[in-house]
Amino acid sequence: MRRPRFPGPAVAVALLVVAVALFCALFSWLIVPDATEQDLTLGITYPGPGHPLGTDDLGRDVLQLLIAGARTAVLGALAVSAGSMLIGNLTGLPAGYLGGWADGLAMRWADLMLSVPPLLVAIVVAGVMGGGYGLAIIVLIVLFSPTDARVVRGAVLEQRGRPYVEAARLQNLPAWRIMSRHVWPNIVPVALANTFLNFAYALVSLASLSFLGLGVPPGSPDWGRTLADNKSQLFANPWASVAPGLAIIITAAAVNVVGDWLQERAEERMLAR
């Protein structure tokens, strides 16, 4: 009987970071209900009692903005990665298994979308349409999904010639059943790792759009928006701009570490069957 392999120190820290970010994203409205409350008489202050990370030029507590900003930063990236994974699997799975016109159509669409830089296209589209948080999420889902489709298609092509697929075909099982019940479970580790990678990319991309004023509306708590609002206060209170930047970097790195670990665990479970 195999003993369960526990995560190492790096993975444990990454799991803790992801758990804290997710908790803040889900329950920030309970933890800091008045995160955007202003105190113009207070103004910019250094970290101290009552304000661990100080305040910005509007007298808002930076730590509270950081906690509240996790909602749009994390949940938005989660929506992008989940939507991209769904579209990528729905297109890449039949493209790799069926081939023919399904493969050609899906891959030409992927080639077209991958020929342009996603963030630049998102900036142009959001700028023309007037920006907006929901629009940014939709645009990133459309731009990220071709990568998922190509990754899933490649994994399916590697599985298509395996004996278990041939055995399923000999039983005259319909193609959709073979794809969903036999092939897809064996490519989950690859799809999972790519989804976590997309989460990190989406987190940075959404923060970039908000930094440029094309994401969340002004005054909303968001890591990218907070970084943009306080970039001029770097010498008055460095933490007002450094803290949201660190939150973006640390969370993105932690998600990648957790994604790699989960992929390894999934592959080990499959090999142990």
Side-chain angles (χ1 to χ4, degrees):
M1 182 177 177
R2 294 181 56 190
R3 295 181 178 179
R5 187 165 65 87
F6 296 99
V11 177
V13 172
L15 284 169
L16 179 61
V17 170
V18 172
V20 171
L22 188 59
F23 180 82
C24 291
L26 294 175
F27 302 105
S28 60
W29 59 281
L30 289 175
I31 303 171
V32 285
D34 300 321
T36 58
E37 184 178 0
Q38 302 178 9
D39 186 354
L40 297 179
T41 60
L42 183 62
I44 303 174
T45 62
Y46 277 100
H51 302 287
L53 295 179
T55 58
D56 62 8
D57 57 339
L58 297 177
R60 299 177 297 181
D61 186 275
V62 175
L63 179 59
Q64 291 188 16
L65 288 175
L66 204 64
I67 295 173
R71 185 174 183 85
T72 54
V74 174
L75 296 185
L78 186 62
V80 172
S81 57
S84 175
M85 179 189 68
L86 179 62
I87 296 176
N89 278 268
L90 290 177
T91 54
L93 194 59
Y97 182 78
L98 299 176
W101 66 268
D103 185 24
L105 183 62
M107 289 305 99
R108 298 298 76 76
W109 164 72
D111 291 341
L112 175 63
M113 300 304 294
L114 291 172
S115 64
V116 293
L119 185 57
L120 179 60
V121 174
I123 292 173
V124 172
V125 173
V128 171
M129 302 294 291
Y133 182 67
L135 176 63
I137 291 176
I138 294 173
V139 170
L140 291 179
I141 289 175
V142 174
L143 294 174
F144 281 16
S145 56
T147 302
D148 289 77
R150 292 186 71 91
V151 169
V152 171
R153 171 184 177 271
V156 172
L157 287 175
E158 194 272 333
Q159 295 288 327
R160 190 171 62 177
R162 296 286 181 92
Y164 76 90
V165 177
E166 295 296 333
R169 287 172 178 166
L170 290 175
Q171 297 178 32
N172 292 323
L173 295 178
W176 68 266
R177 184 181 178 87
I178 297 176
M179 287 188 290
S180 60
R181 298 292 296 275
H182 299 277
V183 177
W184 189 79
N186 287 286
I187 66 169
V188 165
V190 176
L192 183 67
N194 195 65
T195 299
F196 275 83
L197 188 62
N198 278 343
F199 181 97
Y201 286 151
L203 179 67
V204 176
S205 298
L206 284 173
S208 300
L209 290 173
S210 294
F211 181 86
L212 296 173
L214 300 174
V216 299
S220 300
D222 178 83
W223 291 347
R225 171 65 67 172
T226 302
L227 181 60
D229 291 342
N230 296 312
K231 64 181 185 296
S232 61
Q233 313 299 329
L234 185 60
F235 297 101
N237 178 17
W239 284 106
S241 56
V242 171
L246 287 177
I248 296 169
I249 295 171
I250 293 174
T251 304
V255 168
N256 278 335
V257 172
V258 172
D260 291 341
W261 177 69
L262 289 177
Q263 180 187 12
E264 293 175 0
R265 292 296 304 274
E267 290 176 347
E268 289 176 358
R269 287 179 179 272
M270 290 174 58
L271 293 174
R273 290 177 181 176

